[in-house]
Amino acid sequence: MIKIVTDSACQMSPAQAKQHGIYVAPLMITINNHSYRDFEQITDFQLLRMIKNGAVPSTSQPSIGEKTEIYNQIIAEGNEVIDITMADGLSGTYQSALLAKDTCDDPDKVSVVNAQTLCVPQYVLVNQAQKMAASGASKDAILTMLEKSIPTSENFMIPVDFDFLVHGGRLSNASGILGGLLKLIPIIRANKTCTKLEKFAIVRTYTKALKMMLDTFEKDGVTNEYTFCLSHAHNEEWVNKAIQLIQKRFENAKVVILPMSPAYICQGGPGCIAFQAIHIINE
């Protein structure tokens, strides 16, 4: 059988994933020289409280040793591995997985896939792969689905806490003060292969930001056959506005909403919204 492995950038804890037969290696969060396993040793509420008290968190990929142990366990049970990692370039997770593959007991039984995304689109890819594996699909069939679906992902993020961005070195102090005073809304977009995040636009209202992102989706060929993906750091009000506009623009489109993982909150800060879409192509 095929077993699906991933990392916690897909917004699933190891415990949640285990219920569906998926293996998750948590990302690591470091605060004041102390490291926590994403989801397992720190919650989003705990992290947000620490940030409010001045903490500046950072993240790192799962250890090579942990990934190797997971691979060896699956191989020892007579199964093969497909590891769907978060985007290479935004994290070292993909490269670590390749090293773990090289050092495991049987590298030929491990396939490592760069999702070229993270958050909810990664969650959607992982779940589709797991459904196919559970139904007895071949490794080649699952890898073909991933190969076709991954390039369709669209990835935007809206951070809202300028103080957090300044403290984390993601924004200059002057820009942070100006943005906070003017209540500007920055839109961050990942490039097509999701190797880096780039400033897309700065607007005055969240509604304008949503319309701009949806316009870009349509321009890039997004239709109601896509899955629209929302994750947030306790910002339900903005999520609800996004759902309304998505449903108005893309009738009957599927929308998946997940709370943002602690590791992703480290990047976007309190109140952050990830606004994404992906088309699962399984033909």
Side-chain angles (χ1 to χ4, degrees):
M1 286 188 65
I2 305 299
K3 297 296 182 180
I4 306 301
V5 178
T6 189
D7 50 73
S8 60
C10 75
Q11 313 300 291
M12 276 192 289
S13 71
Q16 291 168 330
K18 187 177 181 181
Q19 295 175 358
H20 301 284
I22 299 167
Y23 296 76
V24 166
L27 296 165
M28 301 300 296
I29 297 169
T30 301
I31 302 173
N32 296 329
N33 297 318
H34 187 87
S35 293
Y36 305 84
R37 289 166 65 85
D38 195 19
F39 285 111
E40 292 186 333
Q41 295 176 325
I42 189 168
T43 68
D44 51 352
F45 287 105
Q46 290 170 329
L47 177 61
L48 289 168
R49 191 180 308 120
M50 291 179 179
I51 291 173
K52 185 177 180 180
N53 291 330
V56 181
S58 61
T59 60
S60 58
Q61 64 267 26
S63 72
I64 297 171
E66 181 170 6
K67 275 291 181 80
T68 303
E69 287 180 11
I70 293 174
Y71 296 168
N72 286 341
Q73 176 189 341
I74 293 171
I75 292 167
E77 293 169 352
N79 301 309
E80 293 189 72
V81 175
I82 295 179
D83 187 355
I84 305 169
T85 76
M86 71 178 289
D88 185 30
L90 296 183
S91 166
T93 305
Y94 174 70
Q95 297 299 327
S96 292
L98 291 177
L99 290 172
K101 171 182 175 174
D102 289 341
T103 57
C104 77
D105 293 338
D106 191 344
D108 290 338
K109 291 188 176 180
V110 178
S111 299
V112 178
V113 178
N114 172 15
Q116 297 182 26
T117 188
L118 69 169
C119 274
V120 184
Q122 185 180 345
Y123 170 92
V124 172
L125 289 168
V126 167
N127 275 279
Q128 180 63 27
Q130 173 58 21
K131 287 178 183 177
M132 293 177 68
S135 67
S138 68
K139 178 175 70 174
D140 286 345
I142 298 171
L143 291 175
T144 297
M145 178 278 294
L146 293 169
E147 181 182 359
K148 290 181 178 180
S149 303
I150 284 171
T152 69
S153 69
E154 298 277 347
N155 301 282
F156 286 99
M157 180 179 74
I158 299 179
V160 300
D161 189 329
F162 283 90
D163 287 340
F164 176 82
L165 298 176
V166 170
H167 293 156
R170 298 170 178 85
L171 194 66
S172 71
N173 188 53
S175 296
I177 292 172
L178 182 62
L181 287 174
L182 298 179
K183 300 187 183 300
L184 299 176
I185 307 292
I187 305 173
I188 307 299
R189 188 184 192 187
N191 64 348
K192 193 57 184 174
T193 55
C194 209
T195 55
K196 61 181 179 179
L197 300 176
E198 302 169 329
K199 184 177 73 175
F200 180 72
I202 298 177
V203 296
R204 295 298 297 269
T205 69
Y206 176 59
T207 299
K208 186 171 183 179
L210 285 174
K211 290 180 178 179
M212 186 175 290
M213 290 185 290
L214 289 171
D215 287 344
T216 303
F217 281 177
E218 285 191 321
K219 180 181 177 181
D220 290 346
V222 173
T223 69
N224 60 1
E225 294 183 353
Y226 277 62
T227 298
F228 290 82
C229 305
L230 296 166
S231 57
H232 63 101
H234 296 276
N235 197 342
E236 290 85 358
E237 179 183 354
W238 279 19
V239 167
N240 291 333
K241 287 183 180 179
I243 294 170
Q244 292 173 8
L245 284 182
I246 291 169
Q247 293 175 340
K248 184 176 180 180
R249 185 86 67 100
F250 298 92
E251 187 176 359
N252 298 320
K254 182 179 180 181
V255 181
V256 177
I257 306 158
L258 292 174
M260 196 168 282
S261 69
Y264 200 86
I265 292 173
C266 290
Q267 307 307 315
C272 175
I273 296 279
F275 191 65
Q276 302 163 282
I278 192 165
H279 184 201
I280 295 299
I281 303 173
N282 189 18
E283 308 174 332

